[in-house]
């Protein structure tokens, strides 16, 4: 995100942050609708709205000059929770195979270890790369389409092809962005060691 105007970085009560909080509430709502009451159509709607709002909160923050540190933290947390919750739910209901879930989660395990290394050397998490945001957007677009393919028989063929096209594209971008984060961390760690040496 772009630099925020003076005084706005510490703000909490902003419209973008409200959107992010609502997105977070959508995670347990989706899990309840999809896994407990199996209201699949409502679950598709919640998932689609959650995916679209990923772009909306950032757009509103920049448009209204309400970029805040809290918002910069909430946005990726909401993204990860949506992806994690959706993956688990879709795997439990056999909408996506476990291999796809493992492939996505393995990337997050790698980046968690990467973050631990950065913190050990006194660095904060790197800023979100546009490639990572694109990967997240594509994945959040793929999930409701895959869910639609699994729950609406008439849409199975077309929605399945579109959903898996997006999902595999998102998976590739997700790992590519992860690789860039690891390379960036490696450069920072080498620089820190050079200073000590």
């Amino acid at each position: 995100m772009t630099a925020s105007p003076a005084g706005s970085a510490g703000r909490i009560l902003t419209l973008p942050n409200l959107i992010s909080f609502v997105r977070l509430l959508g995670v347990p709502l989706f899990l309840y609708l999809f896994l407990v009451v199996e209201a699949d159509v409502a679950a598709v709607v919640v998932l689609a709205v959650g995916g679209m709002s990923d772009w909306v909160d950032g757009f509103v923050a920049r448009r209204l000059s309400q970029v805040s540190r809290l918002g910069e933290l909430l946005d990726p947390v909401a993204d990860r929770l949506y992806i994690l919750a959706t993956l688990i739910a879709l795997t439990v209901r056999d909408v996506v195979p476990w291999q796809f879930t493992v492939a996505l989660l393995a990337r997050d395990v790698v980046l968690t270890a990467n973050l631990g290394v950065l913190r050990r050397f006194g660095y904060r998490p790197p800023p979100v790369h546009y490639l990572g945001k694109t990967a997240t957007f594509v994945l959040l677009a793929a999930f409701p389409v895959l869910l639609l393919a699994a729950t609406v028989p008439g849409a199975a063929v077309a929605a399945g092809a579109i959903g898996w096209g997006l999902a595999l594209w998102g998976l590739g971008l997700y790992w590519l962005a992860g690789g860039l984060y690891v390379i960036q961390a490696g450069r920072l760690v080498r620089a820190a060691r050079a200073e000590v040496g």
Side-chain angles (χ1 to χ4, degrees):
M1 287 188 176
T2 56
S4 55
S8 68
R11 293 178 64 186
I12 294 175
L13 298 177
T14 65
L15 182 56
N17 288 350
L18 178 61
I19 294 171
S20 293
F21 280 123
V22 171
R23 287 186 68 215
L24 286 171
L25 293 176
V27 173
L29 177 60
F30 164 74
L31 291 173
Y32 173 76
L33 291 171
F34 189 59
L35 294 178
V36 179
V37 298
E38 297 191 5
D40 294 340
V41 175
V44 168
V45 172
V46 170
L47 199 55
V49 170
M52 286 188 304
S53 63
D54 175 47
W55 174 81
V56 171
D57 59 359
F59 173 79
V60 171
R62 289 185 294 272
R63 190 67 181 263
L64 300 180
S65 297
Q66 292 184 345
V67 176
S68 67
R69 180 60 184 154
L70 178 61
E72 290 173 345
L73 293 173
L74 278 177
D75 187 47
V77 167
D79 290 344
R80 293 295 168 272
L81 284 177
Y82 257 100
I83 290 175
L84 178 62
T86 305
L87 272 176
I88 292 173
L90 295 184
T91 304
V92 168
R93 289 277 303 271
D94 294 320
V95 175
V96 300
W98 64 266
Q99 293 93 335
F100 181 82
T101 302
V102 169
L104 268 180
L105 295 182
R107 182 263 196 188
D108 284 337
V109 170
V110 169
L111 287 194
T112 299
N114 186 60
L115 184 58
V117 171
L118 282 175
R119 286 184 173 159
R120 182 180 166 193
F121 284 88
Y123 291 106
R124 293 173 58 183
V128 177
H129 194 275
Y130 77 92
L131 194 60
K133 288 296 293 180
T134 302
T136 299
F137 179 80
V138 172
L139 288 170
L140 291 177
F143 293 149
V145 179
L146 289 173
L147 184 52
L148 183 68
T151 56
V152 180
V157 175
I162 294 169
W164 278 112
L166 289 170
L168 294 174
W169 181 32
L171 176 63
L173 291 176
Y174 206 55
W175 269 101
L176 183 57
L180 292 177
Y181 290 131
V182 170
I183 291 170
Q184 182 180 2
R187 289 174 179 164
L188 291 171
V189 169
R190 282 194 297 273
R193 284 177 173 168
E195 287 179 6
V196 172

